Amino acid sequence: IKTVMISIISLMVLVFTVDIVVILLSYLRRTHQIREFIEKETRQDNLTGTFNRKSGEEFLSTLFHQFQESGQSPLIMMLDLDNFKKTNDTYGHDVGDEVLRRTTQEILGRIRSADKLFRWGGEEFVLLFNGADKDYDSTLATKILTCVNRLQFKTDKGSFHTSVSIGSALFRTTDTSWHQALKRADMALYHSKGKGRNYYTNYDNDIELNPSLE
């Protein structure tokens, strides 16, 4: 009888232990899922599925520190949908949201997995990529300009196409923060707008070598 009681108690302890382990594993798994959800919500733009500005600023800060150590700069692209306010005013914000979604999906479909696209605000985006050869930016910009311009949007008020303007820049050894490179990319973007939109400008090649274009 004593042996039987010991066996029963041992079995009960084993079952209890297994239950505790299962509950603990379930809790840890759920905690991990919640953490992933919170991280995704704080880093992702809900409308477009791209990264948001907060994560973009963190990423740029990290890249700038790496640049200070290695001297290797990523290419920073700024993209802005042309005449987006007019699109919203003419066709409504629902259509404007669809333009943002489809445009970003086209862009995401043409960049490498290592490249990062961030919604900077409204219809403006920042694209960052490392380790590309000197012609990659021009090739990629041409692909983006072409694929976005080919998009057609049909509404009850008629059909229309959209386009995007792009500017880019690199970090410099004289920079004290990533903000300066982003400002140059923004100046290049402004230059693209001035060229009639649906255009790409590289600050270092198209403006730095031609100061009169600033």
Side-chain angles (χ1 to χ4, degrees):
I1 296 175
K2 185 177 180 180
T3 303
V4 173
M5 288 299 294
I6 292 175
S7 298
I8 292 173
I9 293 173
S10 298
L11 180 61
M12 291 175 64
V13 170
L14 178 61
V15 171
F16 178 75
T17 302
V18 170
D19 286 342
I20 292 297
V21 170
V22 170
I23 292 172
L24 181 59
L25 289 175
S26 177
Y27 171 77
L28 292 174
R29 183 168 58 252
R30 182 59 178 166
T31 301
H32 179 69
Q33 291 172 341
I34 292 173
R35 188 182 299 114
E36 284 188 330
F37 175 78
I38 293 174
E39 184 175 348
K40 180 180 178 182
E41 287 296 301
T42 57
R43 291 182 175 275
Q44 190 176 57
D45 176 65
N46 292 330
L47 176 64
T48 63
T50 64
F51 293 104
N52 59 25
R53 179 166 180 162
K54 178 183 177 182
S55 58
E57 291 177 343
E58 293 173 356
F59 202 72
L60 274 167
S61 179
T62 299
L63 289 177
F64 184 68
H65 287 307
Q66 292 176 353
F67 163 73
Q68 290 179 309
E69 295 176 355
S70 68
Q72 299 296 313
S73 174
L75 187 71
I76 303 168
M77 274 189 176
M78 293 200 74
L79 307 89
D80 189 86
L81 269 68
D82 297 325
N83 301 310
F84 187 70
K85 183 179 183 304
K86 182 179 179 181
T87 298
N88 273 333
D89 292 343
T90 303
Y91 302 102
H93 290 280
D94 287 344
V95 173
D97 288 348
E98 181 64 15
V99 170
L100 287 170
R101 280 191 292 264
R102 288 183 58 190
T103 299
T104 51
Q105 288 307 306
E106 285 293 321
I107 295 171
L108 288 170
R110 283 161 177 76
I111 62 178
R112 306 169 305 175
S113 58
D115 301 334
K116 306 296 181 184
L117 181 64
F118 305 86
R119 187 181 181 190
W120 212 247
E123 69 274 22
E124 190 171 59
F125 296 83
V126 170
L127 175 59
L128 303 174
F129 47 88
N130 279 306
D133 60 57
K134 64 183 181 63
D135 296 322
Y136 180 69
D137 68 309
S138 180
T139 301
L140 177 61
T142 299
K143 287 181 179 179
I144 292 175
L145 293 174
T146 301
C147 75
V148 172
N149 196 240
R150 284 177 178 172
L151 286 173
Q152 184 177 28
F153 299 90
K154 297 180 179 180
T155 74
D156 54 4
K157 294 183 179 179
S159 300
F160 68 95
H161 292 266
T162 189
S163 63
V164 64
S165 295
I166 308 173
S168 71
L170 300 168
F171 290 139
R172 294 181 175 179
T173 55
T174 53
D175 290 340
T176 57
S177 77
W178 56 265
H179 296 84
Q180 291 160 288
L182 192 68
K183 183 178 180 179
R184 290 192 294 274
D186 190 45
M187 291 172 65
L189 171 62
Y190 182 79
H191 176 258
S192 292
K193 293 285 187 180
K195 294 290 288 186
R197 300 180 175 84
N198 192 34
Y199 194 84
Y200 170 58
T201 301
N202 178 298
Y203 185 91
D204 299 273
N205 294 336
D206 302 320
I207 294 181
E208 186 67 16
L209 298 180
N210 299 279
S212 60
L213 294 179
E214 284 198 58

